[in-house]
Amino acid sequence: MTNVQDDEQTPEPVAAGDVTSVIGAGRIVPVVVLADPTGAAPLAEALAAGGLRTAEVTFRTPAAADAIAAMATRTDLVVGAGTVLTAEQVDRAVDAGARFVVSPGFGPAVVRRCQQRGVPVFPGVASATEIQMALDAGLDTVKFFPAEQLGGIGMVAALAAPFRSVRFIPTGGVTTGNLAGYLAHPAVLAVGGTWMVAPRLLAAGDWAEVTRLTAAAVAAARAATRS
């Protein structure tokens, strides 16, 4: 598979303490739902070829832990677990090689277990109350979900005003059409999206299209960051 990154040199391995900074540098986190773990390795290659160094594999299918384990073997890719709802899933994810954990809402047990296991956790928030809970738990980066349904970038801006130390990862309804608006806001660390890893592409094994869409997303994110 042809690598379409601007930088043709092989990416350096990601250090243990650099997870959040790598997410912030890439600015896009593909949200992956894999039904068959055999697709994990070629998917990881396709994402890396497109220029991304992060991926979130959701615990929406029984294949999640095996997919994380397969993708986590790459030293140039930071693989996390998404849709994590219980402390037991935290253990399964981390044992499989997940470097970060994302949950759709703020779950104290999930946050606590992630902190015990020493992995960054980005809980979902939809209100000022949940952001305050995250701050009380010692967190400063949260997932804003479902972003578009909750008001999009306008709601992010409203919440960011009183919570100036908090960084957001909006997810849910983010597309190439509204990507720039999110990434232009200084409180947005990155966005989560599914368009470059759409289920139909994964089911068909269309890794070339995954790479093409990933490269286009990376280019759009860089343009939005520069503007």
Short mmCIF file of all heavy atoms in Angstrom, two decimals, residues 144-153 170-175 178 182:
data_model
loop_
_atom_site.label_atom_id
_atom_site.label_comp_id
_atom_site.label_asym_id
_atom_site.label_seq_id
_atom_site.Cartn_x
_atom_site.Cartn_y
_atom_site.Cartn_z
N PHE A 144 -17.10 15.45 23.61
CA PHE A 144 -18.40 16.13 23.55
C PHE A 144 -19.27 15.31 22.61
O PHE A 144 -19.01 15.25 21.40
CB PHE A 144 -18.23 17.57 23.05
CG PHE A 144 -19.52 18.32 22.94
CD1 PHE A 144 -20.30 18.56 24.06
CD2 PHE A 144 -19.96 18.82 21.72
CE1 PHE A 144 -21.50 19.26 23.97
CE2 PHE A 144 -21.15 19.52 21.61
CZ PHE A 144 -21.92 19.74 22.74
N PHE A 145 -20.30 14.69 23.17
CA PHE A 145 -21.05 13.70 22.40
C PHE A 145 -22.52 13.67 22.82
O PHE A 145 -22.81 13.72 24.03
CB PHE A 145 -20.43 12.31 22.63
CG PHE A 145 -21.17 11.19 21.98
CD1 PHE A 145 -21.00 10.93 20.62
CD2 PHE A 145 -22.04 10.38 22.71
CE1 PHE A 145 -21.69 9.89 20.01
CE2 PHE A 145 -22.73 9.35 22.10
CZ PHE A 145 -22.55 9.10 20.75
N PRO A 146 -23.44 13.56 21.83
CA PRO A 146 -23.25 13.61 20.38
C PRO A 146 -23.20 15.05 19.90
O PRO A 146 -24.17 15.82 20.09
CB PRO A 146 -24.46 12.86 19.83
CG PRO A 146 -25.54 13.08 20.87
CD PRO A 146 -24.84 13.21 22.20
N ALA A 147 -22.13 15.43 19.30
CA ALA A 147 -21.81 16.83 19.07
C ALA A 147 -22.86 17.59 18.26
O ALA A 147 -23.36 18.63 18.71
CB ALA A 147 -20.45 16.94 18.38
N GLU A 148 -23.19 17.13 17.09
CA GLU A 148 -24.12 17.87 16.24
C GLU A 148 -25.52 17.92 16.86
O GLU A 148 -26.18 18.96 16.82
CB GLU A 148 -24.18 17.24 14.85
CG GLU A 148 -23.03 17.64 13.96
CD GLU A 148 -23.01 19.13 13.64
OE1 GLU A 148 -23.88 19.58 12.87
OE2 GLU A 148 -22.14 19.84 14.17
N GLN A 149 -25.94 16.84 17.45
CA GLN A 149 -27.28 16.81 18.04
C GLN A 149 -27.39 17.72 19.26
O GLN A 149 -28.48 18.17 19.61
CB GLN A 149 -27.63 15.37 18.44
CG GLN A 149 -27.84 14.42 17.27
CD GLN A 149 -26.55 13.82 16.73
OE1 GLN A 149 -25.46 14.30 17.01
NE2 GLN A 149 -26.68 12.78 15.94
N LEU A 150 -26.25 18.02 19.89
CA LEU A 150 -26.25 18.88 21.08
C LEU A 150 -26.04 20.36 20.75
O LEU A 150 -26.00 21.18 21.66
CB LEU A 150 -25.16 18.42 22.05
CG LEU A 150 -25.41 17.09 22.76
CD1 LEU A 150 -24.17 16.66 23.54
CD2 LEU A 150 -26.61 17.20 23.69
N GLY A 151 -25.89 20.67 19.48
CA GLY A 151 -25.73 22.07 19.11
C GLY A 151 -24.44 22.41 18.39
O GLY A 151 -24.19 23.57 18.08
N GLY A 152 -23.62 21.39 18.15
CA GLY A 152 -22.43 21.60 17.34
C GLY A 152 -21.42 22.54 17.96
O GLY A 152 -21.30 22.67 19.19
N ILE A 153 -20.71 23.24 17.09
CA ILE A 153 -19.62 24.10 17.55
C ILE A 153 -20.14 25.26 18.41
O ILE A 153 -19.44 25.74 19.31
CB ILE A 153 -18.79 24.64 16.36
CG1 ILE A 153 -17.56 25.38 16.85
CG2 ILE A 153 -19.64 25.49 15.44
CD1 ILE A 153 -16.63 24.56 17.73
N PRO A 170 -15.06 16.75 20.07
CA PRO A 170 -16.43 16.57 19.59
C PRO A 170 -16.54 15.34 18.69
O PRO A 170 -15.72 15.12 17.81
CB PRO A 170 -16.70 17.86 18.79
CG PRO A 170 -15.69 18.84 19.30
CD PRO A 170 -14.49 18.02 19.62
N THR A 171 -17.58 14.56 18.91
CA THR A 171 -17.82 13.34 18.15
C THR A 171 -19.31 13.15 17.98
O THR A 171 -20.08 13.40 18.91
CB THR A 171 -17.24 12.11 18.89
OG1 THR A 171 -15.87 12.33 19.19
CG2 THR A 171 -17.37 10.85 18.05
N GLY A 172 -19.71 12.73 16.79
CA GLY A 172 -21.13 12.54 16.52
C GLY A 172 -21.63 13.55 15.52
O GLY A 172 -21.87 14.70 15.87
N GLY A 173 -21.71 13.14 14.27
CA GLY A 173 -22.15 14.04 13.22
C GLY A 173 -21.06 14.91 12.63
O GLY A 173 -21.34 15.79 11.81
N VAL A 174 -19.81 14.68 13.01
CA VAL A 174 -18.71 15.44 12.43
C VAL A 174 -18.39 14.86 11.05
O VAL A 174 -18.24 13.65 10.89
CB VAL A 174 -17.46 15.39 13.32
CG1 VAL A 174 -16.31 16.17 12.68
CG2 VAL A 174 -17.77 15.94 14.70
N THR A 175 -18.28 15.74 10.05
CA THR A 175 -18.02 15.33 8.67
C THR A 175 -17.01 16.28 8.05
O THR A 175 -16.59 17.27 8.68
CB THR A 175 -19.30 15.38 7.82
OG1 THR A 175 -19.73 16.77 7.70
CG2 THR A 175 -20.43 14.58 8.47
N ASN A 178 -18.29 20.01 8.16
CA ASN A 178 -18.25 20.88 9.35
C ASN A 178 -16.95 20.75 10.13
O ASN A 178 -16.80 21.35 11.20
CB ASN A 178 -19.45 20.60 10.27
CG ASN A 178 -19.53 19.13 10.71
OD1 ASN A 178 -18.55 18.41 10.74
ND2 ASN A 178 -20.75 18.70 11.04
N TYR A 182 -15.22 23.11 13.67
CA TYR A 182 -14.83 22.55 14.97
C TYR A 182 -13.35 22.81 15.26
O TYR A 182 -12.98 23.29 16.34
CB TYR A 182 -15.10 21.05 15.01
CG TYR A 182 -16.52 20.66 15.26
CD1 TYR A 182 -17.34 20.20 14.23
CD2 TYR A 182 -17.09 20.77 16.53
CE1 TYR A 182 -18.66 19.83 14.45
CE2 TYR A 182 -18.41 20.40 16.77
CZ TYR A 182 -19.19 19.95 15.73
OH TYR A 182 -20.49 19.60 15.96
#
